[in-house]
Amino acid sequence: MELDNKIYPCAIIGGGLGGLCLAIQLARQGQEVILFEKNTYPQHKVCGEYISMESWGFLQDLGLPLDDLDLPRLTQLGISAESGFMLNSTLPLGGFGISRYTLDEQLCQLARKWGVTVLENCKVLDVQNADTAVAEITTTMGKYQANLLCGSFGKYAPSFAKAPDKIANQLPNYIAVKYHIETDLAPDRIELHNFQDGYCGVSKVDGNRYCLCYLSKSSNLQRSANDLKAMEEAVLYKNPLLKKYFTQSTFLYDKPLVISNVYFHPKDTYLNGMLMLGDAAGAITPLCGNGMSMAMRASKLLADLMPAYVEGNINKTELVNQYSLAWKANFSTRIWAGQHLQHLFGKKTSTHLALKTLHYAPALTRSLIGLTHGMPF
């Protein structure tokens, strides 16, 4: 396998939102960046496709023509219990809908425009000497070298970036399923529908489509003989509002996108010589609807520290420490709130009681929503 003798100042493993946004920002600072993406752009991903308005200005500053994409603004929230009771609220900051198919492709084009070397269909197989001055990256397209490595590979850590995991087997194991549909829902409204051991989000994205994406404990699927359709009919349809979406909508995929073995637990911002961002650094529960904004904000936190590192004003240890502190300051409360809110969802009785209580406490409802979102950046 041939070695590319060029030593890149920064290499990014994974071309999701965090990786692409970081690459663009570093390239705009004048750094030479290489990004490895195992798939090709554009592609659909399992994702709720709701982004908090906290990220709107950031994406515009990167160069995304958001005003030209005719994106739905989401200002209204509905949350239903399995009984069919619906809690309605405004979203204090609001959000917008955009498919990952569109967003990732737009960001990839921007990255290339700024001179980022984006290698698609390029899987990283191994990393050596990541904590030294020059790391060696073995990929399906050859070997590369870089001074600094960043990991933005999502929920599933590759073998060279796995931490000793002593708690995953003690945590609930989820599957996530996504469809694009045509349906009858106000374009400014996002809904979250609970069912036993899971919940499903529905909201409008670009192209006159709606994203329907749900998270379910894998035990629901196992009890349905691993038949997804049977599980939906036996479990999700018990919520009458959710049943309506499944039976009265036009589904635009031949089959859904599905991922399995999804866990939610704390991770590290620095591991095996790599700085982590996005879901690789820690995932917020999907009911909070804000994982994409977290990935983008993390990229800005890291990018803002990079000039001091590049100019020699801080060393790598200081860069790692400052990034870790910034990450915790920005996201620890969100993740904590998400984990505790998750315990109230996906349960027949407690979810119903919680939503009934919040119905009579709109200020508390807005406060809880605010805990899972940040201010514009």
Side-chain angles (χ1 to χ4, degrees):
M1 188 172 286
E2 292 187 6
L3 173 66
D4 184 337
N5 289 319
K6 179 185 291 187
I7 300 177
Y8 291 87
C10 182
I12 301 171
I13 302 172
L17 295 184
L20 286 167
C21 289
L22 177 63
I24 294 166
Q25 291 169 91
L26 296 185
R28 295 202 311 183
Q29 292 174 8
Q31 297 188 51
E32 192 168 9
V33 183
I34 186 169
L35 182 146
F36 305 100
E37 169 53 43
K38 65 180 180 180
N39 297 308
T40 57
Y41 299 105
Q43 66 163 335
H44 293 288
K45 291 185 177 179
V46 178
C47 177
E49 299 182 333
Y50 161 91
I51 302 180
S52 165
M53 284 301 295
E54 68 188 87
S55 302
W56 183 272
F58 168 75
L59 287 172
Q60 283 191 316
D61 181 66
L62 287 188
L64 250 68
L66 296 180
D67 290 325
D68 299 333
L69 296 178
D70 193 26
L71 303 177
R73 297 288 186 95
L74 303 167
T75 60
Q76 304 297 314
L77 171 67
I79 308 175
S80 77
E82 186 180 282
S83 63
F85 175 78
M86 177 79 84
L87 170 71
N88 294 296
S89 176
T90 58
L91 287 168
L93 185 62
F96 60 100
I98 183 170
S99 70
R100 290 295 299 273
Y101 190 91
T102 299
L103 181 57
D104 289 15
E105 171 69 0
Q106 290 272 339
L107 289 171
C108 178
Q109 291 175 7
L110 267 178
R112 287 197 164 112
K113 175 184 174 182
W114 280 100
V116 177
T117 301
V118 179
L119 300 183
E120 300 178 65
N121 271 326
C122 183
K123 183 177 181 179
V124 175
L125 305 173
D126 192 26
V127 170
Q128 296 291 327
N129 305 318
D131 55 353
T132 64
V134 180
E136 187 173 287
I137 307 148
T138 302
T139 78
T140 51
M141 295 176 64
K143 291 187 177 182
Y144 299 85
Q145 299 176 95
N147 298 128
L148 189 70
L149 289 183
C150 298
S152 179
F153 34 71
K155 293 180 177 65
Y156 302 114
S159 58
F160 56 82
K162 283 188 176 178
D165 199 345
K166 300 178 181 178
I167 62 172
N169 58 5
Q170 304 169 20
L171 296 171
N173 181 4
Y174 292 91
I175 62 166
V177 181
K178 174 188 154 183
Y179 299 91
H180 274 163
I181 63 175
E182 293 176 351
T183 196
D184 182 21
L185 176 65
D188 65 347
R189 183 173 172 85
I190 180 170
E191 292 185 349
L192 191 65
H193 299 286
N194 283 272
F195 55 87
Q196 184 61 44
D197 292 329
Y199 44 85
C200 176
V202 187
S203 60
K204 195 174 189 298
V205 295
D206 54 294
N208 204 32
R209 299 166 290 175
Y210 287 77
C211 176
L212 184 153
C213 190
Y214 68 83
L215 188 78
S216 168
K217 284 187 179 178
S218 58
S219 53
N220 279 336
L221 186 60
Q222 293 164 4
R223 285 192 292 269
S224 300
N226 292 319
D227 184 323
L228 201 63
K229 185 63 176 176
M231 183 195 76
E232 291 167 352
E233 293 177 354
V235 181
L236 280 69
Y237 282 24
K238 287 183 178 178
N239 183 324
L241 299 173
L242 198 47
K243 180 180 180 180
K244 179 182 176 181
Y245 282 112
F246 273 90
T247 58
Q248 298 183 22
S249 302
T250 300
F251 283 71
L252 304 178
Y253 292 165
D254 292 331
K255 57 183 180 179
L257 298 179
V258 183
I259 58 173
S260 59
N261 296 318
V262 179
Y263 298 92
F264 301 100
H265 60 91
K267 298 180 183 179
D268 298 297
T269 53
Y270 183 71
L271 182 66
N272 296 346
M274 287 174 282
L275 288 153
M276 303 294 189
L277 63 160
D279 284 347
I284 194 169
T285 51
L287 66 92
C288 298
N290 221 9
M292 291 192 285
S293 285
M294 283 179 55
M296 291 184 277
R297 186 184 289 264
S299 77
K300 188 174 189 304
L301 294 175
L302 184 52
D304 286 349
L305 292 169
M306 287 298 289
Y309 171 72
V310 171
E311 293 164 11
N313 296 322
I314 60 173
N315 59 30
K316 184 177 178 180
T317 300
E318 292 168 322
L319 172 66
V320 170
N321 290 338
Q322 290 185 28
Y323 174 60
S324 177
L325 289 172
W327 198 97
K328 290 175 182 176
N330 278 269
F331 304 129
S332 291
T333 298
R334 294 195 204 191
I335 291 179
W336 175 87
Q339 289 171 339
H340 283 77
L341 287 171
Q342 174 111 338
H343 294 309
L344 296 175
F345 286 72
K347 298 177 177 64
K348 184 173 183 178
T349 302
S350 62
T351 300
H352 179 87
L353 291 174
L355 295 182
K356 276 280 190 180
T357 301
L358 291 172
H359 174 72
Y360 295 103
L364 176 59
T365 301
R366 290 191 293 271
S367 295
L368 291 175
I369 294 169
L371 284 175
T372 64
H373 289 61
M375 297 304 293
F377 60 97

